[in-house]
Coordinates of all heavy atoms in Angstrom, one line a residue:
M296 N 29.8 22.0 145.4 CA 30.7 22.0 144.4 C 30.3 23.3 143.5 O 31.2 24.1 143.1 CB 30.5 20.8 143.5 CG 31.6 20.8 142.3 SD 33.1 20.4 142.9 CE 33.7 19.4 141.6
L297 N 29.0 23.5 143.3 CA 28.7 24.8 142.7 C 28.9 26.0 143.4 O 29.2 27.1 142.9 CB 27.2 24.7 142.2 CG 26.8 23.6 141.2 CD1 25.2 23.6 141.0 CD2 27.5 24.0 139.8
K298 N 28.8 25.9 144.8 CA 29.1 27.0 145.6 C 30.5 27.5 145.5 O 30.8 28.7 145.4 CB 28.6 26.8 147.0 CG 27.3 26.6 147.3 CD 27.0 26.4 148.8 CE 25.5 26.2 149.1 NZ 25.2 25.9 150.5
I299 N 31.4 26.4 145.5 CA 32.7 26.7 145.3 C 33.1 27.3 144.1 O 33.9 28.3 143.9 CB 33.7 25.5 145.6 CG1 33.5 25.0 147.0 CG2 35.0 25.6 145.2 CD1 34.1 23.6 147.2
F300 N 32.5 26.9 143.0 CA 32.7 27.3 141.5 C 32.2 28.8 141.5 O 33.0 29.7 140.9 CB 32.1 26.4 140.6 CG 32.3 26.8 139.1 CD1 33.5 26.7 138.6 CD2 31.2 27.4 138.4 CE1 33.9 27.1 137.3 CE2 31.5 27.7 137.1 CZ 32.8 27.6 136.5
G301 N 31.1 29.1 142.0 CA 30.5 30.4 142.0 C 31.4 31.4 142.7 O 31.5 32.6 142.4
G302 N 31.8 30.9 143.9 CA 32.7 31.7 144.7 C 34.0 31.9 144.1 O 34.5 33.1 144.2
M303 N 34.5 31.1 143.3 CA 35.7 31.3 142.6 C 35.5 32.5 141.5 O 36.4 33.3 141.4 CB 36.3 30.0 141.9 CG 36.9 29.1 143.1 SD 37.3 27.5 142.4 CE 38.0 27.7 140.8
I304 N 34.4 32.3 140.8 CA 34.2 33.3 139.7 C 33.9 34.6 140.3 O 34.5 35.7 139.9 CB 33.0 32.9 139.0 CG1 33.3 31.5 138.1 CG2 32.3 33.9 138.1 CD1 32.1 31.0 137.4
I305 N 33.1 34.7 141.5 CA 32.8 36.0 142.0 C 34.1 36.6 142.7 O 34.5 37.9 142.4 CB 31.7 35.8 143.2 CG1 30.5 35.6 142.4 CG2 31.6 37.1 143.9 CD1 29.4 35.2 143.4
G306 N 34.9 35.8 143.2 CA 36.2 36.2 143.7 C 37.1 36.7 142.7 O 37.7 37.9 143.0
S307 N 37.2 36.1 141.6 CA 38.2 36.6 140.5 C 37.5 37.9 139.9 O 38.4 38.7 139.5 CB 38.2 35.4 139.4 OG 37.1 35.2 138.8
M308 N 36.2 37.9 139.8 CA 35.7 39.2 139.2 C 35.9 40.4 140.2 O 36.3 41.6 139.7 CB 34.2 39.1 139.0 CG 33.8 38.1 137.9 SD 32.1 37.9 137.6 CE 31.4 39.5 137.4
M309 N 35.8 40.1 141.5 CA 36.0 41.2 142.4 C 37.5 41.6 142.4 O 37.9 42.9 142.5 CB 35.7 40.8 143.9 CG 34.1 40.7 144.1 SD 33.7 40.0 145.7 CE 34.5 41.1 146.8
T310 N 38.4 40.7 142.3 CA 39.9 41.0 142.2 C 40.2 41.8 141.0 O 41.0 42.8 141.1 CB 40.7 39.7 142.2 OG1 40.3 38.9 143.4 CG2 42.2 40.0 142.3
M311 N 39.6 41.5 139.9 CA 39.9 42.2 138.8 C 39.3 43.6 138.8 O 40.0 44.5 138.4 CB 39.2 41.4 137.4 CG 39.9 40.5 136.9 SD 39.4 39.9 135.3 CE 38.7 38.3 135.9
V312 N 38.2 43.8 139.4 CA 37.6 45.2 139.5 C 38.5 46.1 140.5 O 38.7 47.2 140.3 CB 36.1 45.2 140.1 CG1 35.7 46.4 140.5 CG2 35.1 44.5 139.0
L313 N 38.9 45.3 141.5 CA 39.8 46.1 142.5 C 41.2 46.5 142.1 O 41.7 47.5 142.2 CB 39.9 45.3 143.8 CG 38.7 45.2 144.7 CD1 38.9 44.2 145.8 CD2 38.2 46.5 145.1
L314 N 41.7 45.6 141.1 CA 43.0 45.8 140.6 C 43.0 46.7 139.4 O 44.2 47.2 139.0 CB 43.7 44.4 140.3 CG 44.0 43.6 141.4 CD1 44.6 42.4 141.0 CD2 45.0 44.3 142.4
G315 N 42.0 46.8 138.7 CA 42.3 47.8 137.4 C 40.9 47.8 136.6 O 40.9 48.4 135.5
G316 N 39.9 47.2 136.9 CA 38.6 47.3 136.3 C 38.7 46.6 134.9 O 39.2 45.4 134.8
A317 N 38.2 47.3 133.9 CA 38.0 46.7 132.6 C 39.5 46.5 131.9 O 39.6 45.5 131.2 CB 37.2 47.7 131.7
T318 N 40.4 47.3 132.1 CA 41.7 47.1 131.6 C 42.3 45.8 132.1 O 42.9 45.0 131.4 CB 42.7 48.2 131.9 OG1 42.8 48.4 133.2 CG2 42.2 49.4 131.2
A319 N 42.3 45.5 133.4 CA 42.6 44.2 133.9 C 42.0 42.9 133.4 O 42.5 42.0 133.1 CB 42.5 44.2 135.5
A320 N 40.6 43.3 133.3 CA 39.9 42.0 132.8 C 40.3 41.8 131.2 O 40.4 40.6 130.9 CB 38.4 42.3 132.9
D321 N 40.4 42.9 130.4 CA 40.9 42.7 129.1 C 42.3 42.1 129.1 O 42.6 41.2 128.2 CB 41.0 44.0 128.4 CG 39.7 44.5 128.1 OD1 38.6 43.8 128.1 OD2 39.5 45.8 127.9
Q322 N 43.1 42.4 129.9 CA 44.5 41.7 130.1 C 44.4 40.2 130.4 O 45.1 39.5 129.7 CB 45.4 42.5 131.0 CG 46.7 42.0 131.2 CD 47.7 42.7 130.3 OE1 47.4 43.7 129.7 NE2 48.8 42.0 129.9
V323 N 43.6 39.9 131.3 CA 43.4 38.4 131.6 C 42.9 37.8 130.5 O 43.3 36.6 130.1 CB 42.6 38.3 132.9 CG1 42.2 37.0 133.1 CG2 43.3 38.8 134.2
L324 N 41.9 38.3 129.7 CA 41.2 37.6 128.6 C 42.2 37.5 127.6 O 42.4 36.4 126.9 CB 40.1 38.5 128.2 CG 39.2 37.8 127.1 CD1 38.6 36.4 127.6 CD2 38.0 38.7 126.7
A325 N 43.1 38.5 127.2 CA 44.1 38.4 126.1 C 45.1 37.4 126.4 O 45.5 36.6 125.6 CB 44.7 39.8 126.0
N326 N 45.6 37.2 127.7 CA 46.5 36.3 128.1 C 45.9 34.8 127.9 O 46.6 34.0 127.5 CB 47.0 36.5 129.6 CG 47.9 37.7 129.7 OD1 48.3 38.3 128.7 ND2 47.9 38.1 131.0
A327 N 44.7 34.7 128.3 CA 44.0 33.3 128.2 C 43.9 33.0 126.8 O 44.1 31.8 126.4 CB 42.6 33.4 128.9
Q328 N 43.5 33.9 125.9 CA 43.3 33.6 124.5 C 44.7 33.3 123.8 O 44.8 32.3 123.1 CB 42.7 34.8 123.8 CG 41.2 34.9 124.0 CD 40.6 36.2 123.4 OE1 41.4 37.1 122.9 NE2 39.4 36.3 123.4
T329 N 45.8 34.0 124.1 CA 47.1 33.6 123.5 C 47.6 32.4 124.1 O 48.1 31.5 123.4 CB 48.1 34.7 123.9 OG1 48.1 34.8 125.3 CG2 47.7 36.1 123.2
L330 N 47.4 32.0 125.4 CA 47.7 30.7 125.9 C 47.0 29.5 125.2 O 47.6 28.5 124.9 CB 47.6 30.7 127.4 CG 47.8 29.3 128.1 CD1 49.4 29.2 128.0 CD2 47.5 29.4 129.6
Y331 N 45.8 29.8 125.0 CA 44.9 28.8 124.3 C 45.3 28.6 122.9 O 45.4 27.3 122.5 CB 43.5 29.2 124.3 CG 42.4 28.2 123.8 CD1 42.1 27.2 124.3 CD2 41.8 28.6 122.4 CE1 41.2 26.2 123.7 CE2 41.0 27.8 121.9 CZ 40.7 26.6 122.5 OH 39.7 25.7 122.0
V332 N 45.6 29.6 122.3 CA 45.9 29.5 120.8 C 47.4 28.8 120.7 O 47.6 27.9 119.9 CB 46.0 30.8 120.1 CG1 46.7 30.7 118.6 CG2 44.6 31.4 119.9
D333 N 48.3 29.2 121.6 CA 49.6 28.5 121.7 C 49.5 27.1 121.9 O 50.2 26.2 121.3 CB 50.5 29.3 122.7 CG 51.0 30.6 122.1 OD1 50.8 30.9 120.9 OD2 51.5 31.3 123.0
Q334 N 48.7 26.7 122.8 CA 48.4 25.3 123.2 C 47.9 24.6 122.2 O 48.2 23.3 121.9 CB 47.6 25.2 124.5 CG 47.7 23.8 125.1 CD 47.0 23.8 126.4 OE1 46.4 24.8 126.9 NE2 47.1 22.7 127.1
I335 N 47.0 25.0 121.4 CA 46.3 24.4 120.2 C 47.4 24.1 119.1 O 47.5 23.1 118.4 CB 45.0 25.1 119.7 CG1 44.0 24.8 120.7 CG2 44.7 24.6 118.3 CD1 42.8 25.6 120.3
N336 N 48.1 25.1 118.8 CA 49.1 25.1 117.7 C 50.1 24.0 118.0 O 50.7 23.4 117.0 CB 49.7 26.4 117.4 CG 48.8 27.4 116.8 OD1 47.8 27.0 116.2 ND2 48.9 28.7 117.0
R337 N 50.7 23.9 119.3 CA 51.7 22.9 119.6 C 51.4 22.2 120.8 O 51.8 22.5 121.8 CB 53.0 23.6 119.5 CG 53.1 24.8 120.4 CD 54.4 25.5 120.4 NE 54.3 26.6 121.3 CZ 54.7 26.7 122.6 NH1 55.3 25.6 123.1 NH2 54.3 27.7 123.3
P338 N 50.6 21.1 120.7 CA 50.4 20.3 121.8 C 51.6 19.5 122.2 O 52.3 19.0 121.5 CB 49.1 19.2 121.2 CG 49.4 19.2 119.8 CD 50.1 20.6 119.4
D339 N 51.6 19.4 123.6 CA 52.9 18.6 124.0 C 52.6 17.2 123.9 O 51.6 16.6 123.7 CB 53.2 18.9 125.5 CG 52.0 18.7 126.4 OD1 50.9 18.6 125.9 OD2 52.1 18.8 127.6
A340 N 53.7 16.4 124.1 CA 53.6 14.8 123.9 C 52.7 14.2 124.9 O 52.0 13.2 124.6 CB 55.0 14.4 123.9
T341 N 52.7 14.6 126.1 CA 51.8 14.0 127.2 C 50.4 14.2 126.8 O 49.7 13.3 127.0 CB 52.2 14.7 128.5 OG1 53.6 14.7 128.8 CG2 51.4 14.0 129.5
T342 N 50.0 15.4 126.3 CA 48.6 15.6 126.0 C 48.3 14.6 124.8 O 47.2 14.0 124.7 CB 48.3 17.0 125.6 OG1 48.7 17.8 126.6 CG2 46.9 17.2 125.3
T343 N 49.1 14.5 123.8 CA 48.9 13.7 122.7 C 48.7 12.1 123.0 O 47.9 11.6 122.6 CB 50.0 13.9 121.6 OG1 50.1 15.2 121.3 CG2 49.7 13.0 120.3
I344 N 49.7 11.7 123.8 CA 49.6 10.4 124.3 C 48.4 10.0 125.1 O 47.7 9.0 125.0 CB 50.9 10.1 125.0 CG1 52.1 9.9 124.2 CG2 50.8 8.6 125.8 CD1 53.5 9.9 124.9
L345 N 48.1 11.0 126.0 CA 46.9 10.8 126.8 C 45.6 10.6 126.0 O 44.7 9.9 126.2 CB 46.8 11.8 127.9 CG 45.7 11.8 128.9 CD1 45.8 10.6 129.8 CD2 45.6 13.0 129.8
L346 N 45.6 11.6 125.0 CA 44.3 11.7 124.1 C 44.3 10.3 123.4 O 43.1 9.7 123.2 CB 44.5 12.8 123.2 CG 43.3 13.1 122.3 CD1 42.0 13.3 123.1 CD2 43.6 14.1 121.3
L347 N 45.4 9.8 122.8 CA 45.4 8.6 122.1 C 45.0 7.3 123.0 O 44.2 6.4 122.5 CB 46.8 8.4 121.5 CG 47.1 9.2 120.3 CD1 48.5 9.0 119.8 CD2 46.2 9.0 119.1
V348 N 45.4 7.3 124.2 CA 45.1 6.3 125.1 C 43.6 6.3 125.3 O 42.9 5.3 125.3 CB 45.9 6.3 126.5 CG1 45.4 5.4 127.5 CG2 47.4 5.9 126.0
V349 N 43.0 7.5 125.6 CA 41.7 7.5 126.0 C 40.9 7.2 124.9 O 39.9 6.5 124.9 CB 41.3 8.9 126.4 CG1 39.9 9.2 126.5 CG2 41.9 9.3 127.8
I350 N 41.1 7.7 123.5 CA 40.4 7.3 122.4 C 40.5 5.7 122.2 O 39.5 5.1 121.7 CB 40.9 8.0 121.2 CG1 40.5 9.6 121.4 CG2 40.4 7.5 119.9 CD1 41.1 10.5 120.2
S351 N 41.6 5.1 122.3 CA 41.8 3.6 122.1 C 41.0 2.9 123.1 O 40.4 1.9 122.8 CB 43.3 3.3 122.1 OG 43.8 3.5 123.3
I352 N 40.9 3.3 124.4 CA 40.1 2.6 125.4 C 38.7 2.8 125.0 O 37.9 1.8 125.1 CB 40.5 3.2 126.9 CG1 41.8 2.7 127.2 CG2 39.3 2.7 127.8 CD1 42.4 3.3 128.5
F353 N 38.2 4.0 124.7 CA 36.8 4.2 124.2 C 36.4 3.3 123.1 O 35.4 2.7 123.0 CB 36.6 5.7 123.9 CG 35.2 6.0 123.5 CD1 34.2 5.9 124.5 CD2 35.0 6.4 122.3 CE1 32.9 6.3 124.2 CE2 33.7 6.6 121.9 CZ 32.6 6.6 122.8
M354 N 37.2 3.2 122.1 CA 36.9 2.5 120.9 C 37.0 1.0 121.2 O 36.1 0.1 120.7 CB 38.0 2.7 119.7 CG 37.9 4.1 119.2 SD 36.4 4.5 118.4 CE 36.5 3.6 116.9
G355 N 37.9 0.5 122.1 CA 37.8 -0.9 122.6 C 36.7 -1.3 123.3 O 36.1 -2.3 123.1
A356 N 36.3 -0.3 124.1 CA 34.9 -0.5 124.9 C 33.8 -0.7 124.1 O 32.8 -1.4 124.3 CB 34.9 0.6 125.9
I357 N 33.7 0.1 123.0 CA 32.5 0.1 122.1 C 32.6 -1.1 121.3 O 31.4 -1.7 121.1 CB 32.7 1.3 121.1 CG1 32.3 2.6 121.9 CG2 31.7 1.2 119.9 CD1 32.4 3.8 121.0
T358 N 33.7 -1.7 120.8 CA 33.8 -3.0 120.0 C 33.5 -4.1 120.9 O 32.8 -5.1 120.5 CB 35.1 -3.1 119.4 OG1 36.1 -3.0 120.3 CG2 35.3 -1.9 118.4
L359 N 33.8 -4.0 122.2 CA 33.5 -5.3 123.1 C 32.2 -5.1 123.9 O 31.9 -5.9 124.6 CB 34.7 -5.3 124.1 CG 36.0 -5.7 123.4 CD1 37.2 -5.6 124.6 CD2 36.1 -7.0 122.7
W360 N 31.4 -4.1 123.6 CA 30.2 -3.9 124.3 C 29.2 -5.1 123.9 O 29.1 -5.3 122.7 CB 29.5 -2.6 123.8 CG 28.4 -2.2 124.6 CD1 27.1 -2.4 124.5 CD2 28.5 -1.3 125.9 NE1 26.4 -1.8 125.5 CE2 27.2 -1.1 126.4 CE3 29.6 -0.7 126.4 CZ2 26.9 -0.4 127.5 CZ3 29.2 0.1 127.6 CH2 28.0 0.3 128.1
P361 N 28.6 -5.7 124.9 CA 27.8 -6.8 124.6 C 26.5 -6.4 124.0 O 25.8 -5.5 124.4 CB 27.4 -7.5 126.0 CG 27.7 -6.4 127.0 CD 28.8 -5.5 126.4
S362 N 26.1 -7.1 122.9 CA 25.0 -6.8 122.1 C 23.9 -7.8 122.5 O 24.1 -8.9 122.8 CB 25.2 -6.7 120.7 OG 25.7 -7.9 120.2
K363 N 22.7 -7.4 122.3 CA 21.5 -8.3 122.6 C 21.5 -9.3 121.4 O 21.4 -9.0 120.2 CB 20.3 -7.5 122.6 CG 19.1 -8.2 123.0 CD 18.0 -7.3 123.2 CE 16.7 -8.1 123.7 NZ 15.6 -7.1 123.8
P364 N 21.4 -10.7 121.7 CA 21.3 -11.7 120.8 C 20.0 -11.6 120.0 O 19.1 -11.2 120.4 CB 21.5 -12.9 121.6 CG 21.0 -12.7 122.9 CD 21.4 -11.2 123.2
V365 N 20.2 -11.7 118.7 CA 19.0 -11.7 117.8 C 18.3 -13.1 117.8 O 18.9 -14.1 117.6 CB 19.5 -11.2 116.4 CG1 18.2 -11.3 115.4 CG2 20.2 -10.0 116.4
M366 N 17.0 -13.0 117.9 CA 16.2 -14.3 118.1 C 15.7 -14.6 116.6 O 15.5 -13.7 115.9 CB 15.1 -14.2 119.1 CG 15.5 -14.1 120.4 SD 14.1 -14.1 121.5 CE 13.4 -15.7 121.3
Q367 N 15.8 -15.8 116.3 CA 15.1 -16.2 115.1 C 13.6 -16.1 115.0 O 13.0 -16.3 116.0 CB 15.6 -17.7 114.6 CG 17.2 -17.7 114.6 CD 17.6 -19.2 114.3 OE1 16.7 -20.1 114.3 NE2 18.9 -19.3 114.1
T368 N 13.0 -15.9 113.9 CA 11.6 -15.7 113.9 C 10.9 -17.0 114.2 O 9.8 -16.8 114.9 CB 11.2 -15.3 112.4 OG1 11.7 -16.3 111.5 CG2 11.8 -13.9 112.1
E369 N 11.3 -18.1 114.1 CA 10.7 -19.4 114.5 C 10.5 -19.4 116.0 O 9.4 -19.8 116.4 CB 11.3 -20.6 113.9 CG 11.5 -20.6 112.4 CD 12.4 -21.7 111.8 OE1 13.0 -22.3 112.7 OE2 12.6 -21.9 110.6
K370 N 11.6 -19.0 116.6 CA 11.5 -19.1 118.2 C 10.6 -18.2 118.7 O 9.8 -18.3 119.6 CB 12.9 -18.8 118.7 CG 13.9 -20.1 118.5 CD 15.2 -19.7 119.2 CE 16.2 -20.8 118.9 NZ 17.5 -20.4 119.4
I371 N 10.5 -16.9 118.0 CA 9.6 -15.9 118.5 C 8.1 -16.4 118.2 O 7.3 -16.2 119.2 CB 9.8 -14.6 117.7 CG1 11.3 -14.0 118.1 CG2 8.8 -13.5 117.9 CD1 11.6 -12.9 117.3
I372 N 7.9 -17.0 117.0 CA 6.5 -17.5 116.8 C 6.1 -18.6 117.9 O 5.0 -18.5 118.4 CB 6.4 -18.0 115.4 CG1 6.6 -16.7 114.4 CG2 5.1 -18.7 115.2 CD1 6.7 -17.2 113.0
K373 N 6.9 -19.4 118.2 CA 6.7 -20.5 119.3 C 6.4 -19.9 120.5 O 5.4 -20.4 121.3 CB 8.0 -21.4 119.3 CG 8.0 -22.5 118.1 CD 9.2 -23.3 118.4 CE 9.4 -24.3 117.3 NZ 10.6 -25.2 117.5
R374 N 7.2 -18.9 121.0 CA 6.9 -18.2 122.2 C 5.5 -17.5 122.2 O 4.8 -17.6 123.2 CB 8.0 -17.3 122.6 CG 9.3 -18.0 123.0 CD 10.2 -17.0 123.6 NE 11.5 -17.7 124.1 CZ 12.6 -17.2 124.5 NH1 12.6 -15.8 124.6 NH2 13.6 -17.8 124.9
L375 N 5.3 -16.9 121.1 CA 3.9 -16.2 121.1 C 2.9 -17.2 121.1 O 1.7 -17.0 121.8 CB 3.8 -15.4 119.8 CG 4.7 -14.1 119.9 CD1 4.8 -13.4 118.5 CD2 4.2 -13.1 120.8
R376 N 2.9 -18.3 120.5 CA 1.9 -19.4 120.5 C 1.7 -20.0 121.8 O 0.5 -20.2 122.3 CB 2.2 -20.4 119.5 CG 2.1 -20.0 118.2 CD 2.3 -21.2 117.2 NE 2.2 -20.8 115.8 CZ 2.7 -21.5 114.8 NH1 3.3 -22.6 115.0 NH2 2.6 -21.0 113.6
R377 N 2.7 -20.0 122.7 CA 2.5 -20.5 124.0 C 1.7 -19.5 124.9 O 0.9 -20.0 125.8 CB 4.0 -20.6 124.7 CG 4.7 -21.8 124.2 CD 6.0 -22.1 124.9 NE 6.8 -22.9 124.2 CZ 8.2 -22.8 124.4 NH1 8.8 -22.1 125.2 NH2 9.0 -23.6 123.7
H378 N 1.9 -18.3 124.7 CA 1.3 -17.3 125.5 C -0.2 -17.0 125.0 O -1.1 -16.6 125.8 CB 2.0 -15.9 125.5 CG 3.4 -16.1 126.2 ND1 3.4 -16.4 127.6 CD2 4.6 -16.1 125.8 CE1 4.7 -16.5 127.9 NE2 5.4 -16.2 126.9
C379 N -0.4 -17.2 123.7 CA -1.7 -16.8 123.1 C -2.5 -18.1 122.8 O -2.7 -18.5 121.6 CB -1.7 -16.0 122.0 SG -0.7 -14.4 122.3
K380 N -2.9 -18.8 123.8 CA -3.6 -20.0 123.7 C -5.1 -19.8 123.3 O -5.7 -18.9 123.9 CB -3.6 -21.0 124.8 CG -2.2 -21.6 125.0 CD -2.2 -22.5 126.2 CE -0.7 -23.0 126.4 NZ -0.7 -23.8 127.5
K381 N -5.8 -20.4 122.4 CA -7.1 -20.3 122.1 C -8.0 -21.1 122.9 O -7.7 -22.2 123.1 CB -7.3 -20.6 120.6 CG -6.7 -19.7 119.6 CD -7.0 -19.9 118.2 CE -6.4 -19.1 117.3 NZ -6.6 -19.4 115.9
D382 N -9.1 -20.6 123.3 CA -10.0 -21.2 124.3 C -11.0 -22.0 123.5 O -11.5 -21.7 122.5 CB -10.8 -20.4 125.2 CG -9.6 -19.9 126.2 OD1 -8.8 -20.5 126.6 OD2 -9.9 -18.7 126.7

């Protein structure tokens, strides 16, 4: 997986160098930045619904997470007395 990712990065860098060098890289970076800013400013309905569903599932899982039962101190003392018998 990392080899594929590294290959993609190296391939894209080589393509940018062959097509125009620093000006091509600047153009790609500027396009990515404007796309990112536009997407943040107006998220589409699908993204919003998907985000709400994921957050609600996560919150439901947290509230239903089984917790360790709390033992009363009397039961703990009895168990300790069983294990620590005096000779």
